[in-house]
Amino acid sequence: MSRRWRREGLSIGLVPTMGALHAGHLSLVERACQENDRVVVSIFVNPIQFGPGEDFERYPRDAERDAALLAKAGVDAIYRPTVAAMYPPGSSTRIHVAAVTEPLEGQARPGHFDGVATVVAKLFTAVEPDRAYFGQKDAQQVAVVKRMARDLDFQVEIRVCPTVREPDGVARSSRNAYLNVEERKAAASLSSALRLAAGTYAGGERHPQRLREILRERLEAEPLAQVEYAELVDPETFTAPGSLAVLAVRIGRTRLIDNHDLAMEFPG
Ligand code: AMP
């Protein structure tokens, strides 16, 4: 289909997802529909980006609901490969992006970004999109995908869309479905910490150490929250210090991430 569209001179947008679609995914789809003649949404819960003991098996899946949402959004095709089609027996190649994959999520989830880079490269090869859409919600993933696309000469524009949040500030995530009522309330501590730090930054505070403390203090005030990291990094390298505040926090059994560039006003 993609090849035919290309022959006809139509532009193609790709939105890679793992399904269990929510308003965050749909914002990417909407933007893709505005900017391209044809839009493909891939739905693939990619086993190789999950570590042992992570939530691959229990990750929410609802193909029918996803298909209905995407039909309503006006997408032209859903690409939903099986695990066997993506990784047939004998498949053994992995793409490793160095440096930007090492800290933070890379530390916490060894091999995760190799899995992400490999599947995204395969999706790019299969669909040959002109543009591909990713959410700022997964900021380090954005940096990894941009690096990979540049380094491997993929002729695709990487578009980054802002994080869609619930009315109380909680970033939309398929994993929010794991939270019980108490945990869902506690999840607001992430966006609340980011809002507080952005306000402090706007007031003139620039010391990374002080801003980091503000993030941590707010998170630690929430009894159900276990902070994995709360750091200020450069949004491209993720190692050098910068104004991007990145958080990973466990609420009960659920691991949540969020981020915000403190140089920008926190929405809402
Ligand atoms: P996932 O299905 O979790 O792999 O996410 C698919 C894409 O949607 C990724 O590029 C995510 O960054 C993006 N995404 C997930 N949640 C949000 C959100 N709340 N706002 C914007 N984009 C999001």
Side-chain angles (χ1 to χ4, degrees):
M1 278 173 89
S2 172
R3 212 165 291 145
R4 195 184 73 216
W5 290 336
R6 189 162 303 287
R7 266 201 311 273
E8 292 170 357
L10 301 170
S11 63
I12 302 169
L14 169 68
V15 183
T17 81
M18 299 204 297
L21 302 179
H22 52 66
H25 300 113
L26 295 177
S27 75
L28 272 55
V29 170
E30 194 181 322
R31 172 105 180 266
C33 289
Q34 287 164 3
E35 296 179 350
N36 301 275
D37 298 315
R38 294 290 181 270
V39 171
V40 180
V41 175
S42 62
I43 298 181
F44 183 61
V45 185
N46 178 32
I48 68 167
Q49 73 183 65
F50 289 79
E54 289 188 0
D55 55 347
F56 175 69
E57 278 83 16
R58 67 183 191 117
Y59 196 84
R61 290 165 173 88
D62 192 342
E64 275 185 27
R65 182 175 168 278
D66 289 348
L69 287 169
L70 294 175
K72 202 165 145 222
V75 317
D76 298 279
I78 299 173
Y79 178 38
R80 200 155 61 81
T82 60
V83 171
M86 268 297 193
Y87 306 112
S91 155
S92 59
T93 304
R94 295 289 181 267
I95 294 179
H96 176 70
V97 178
V100 66
T101 56
E102 279 155 28
L104 304 168
E105 286 303 282
Q107 277 267 308
R109 305 183 68 188
H112 169 67
F113 286 127
D114 289 6
V116 169
T118 303
V119 80
V120 170
K122 285 172 69 72
L123 292 169
F124 285 178
T125 301
V127 178
E128 291 191 28
D130 297 280
R131 299 177 192 87
Y133 295 79
F134 294 87
Q136 177 61 30
K137 159 86 186 345
D138 298 282
Q140 199 172 358
Q141 169 171 283
V142 163
V144 171
V145 168
K146 281 184 171 170
R147 188 72 258 164
M148 191 265 303
R150 241 180 277 149
D151 290 352
L152 297 183
D153 307 309
F154 280 106
Q155 300 298 308
V156 53
E157 261 179 68
I158 307 299
R159 302 279 205 188
V160 184
C161 302
T163 302
V164 174
R165 297 179 180 282
E166 304 272 7
D168 67 347
V170 172
R172 292 278 194 148
S173 165
S174 307
R175 290 189 169 99
N176 291 350
Y178 300 149
L179 303 170
N180 67 28
V181 175
E182 284 310 302
E183 291 169 339
R184 176 59 189 74
K185 277 189 206 146
S189 58
L190 282 82
S191 50
S192 162
L194 293 170
R195 182 184 290 108
L196 186 64
T200 311
Y201 188 99
E205 180 62 69
R206 292 292 181 276
H207 290 293
Q209 197 49 40
R210 183 66 202 121
L211 292 163
R212 210 169 146 263
E213 275 166 23
I214 285 164
L215 290 168
R216 283 193 171 266
E217 278 166 18
R218 173 64 191 89
L219 291 168
E220 282 162 7
E222 170 50 62
L224 293 182
Q226 281 281 352
V227 185
E228 228 174 67
Y229 62 74
E231 300 292 341
L232 279 133
V233 296
D234 172 88
E236 265 175 46
T237 64
F238 275 79
T239 40
S243 62
L244 185 71
V246 286
L247 310 178
V249 178
R250 272 182 200 283
I251 308 279
R253 286 177 67 199
T254 305
R255 183 174 186 278
L256 299 177
I257 59 170
D258 201 350
N259 70 85
H260 182 72
D261 186 337
L262 299 187
M264 313 217 294
E265 198 181 330
F266 196 85

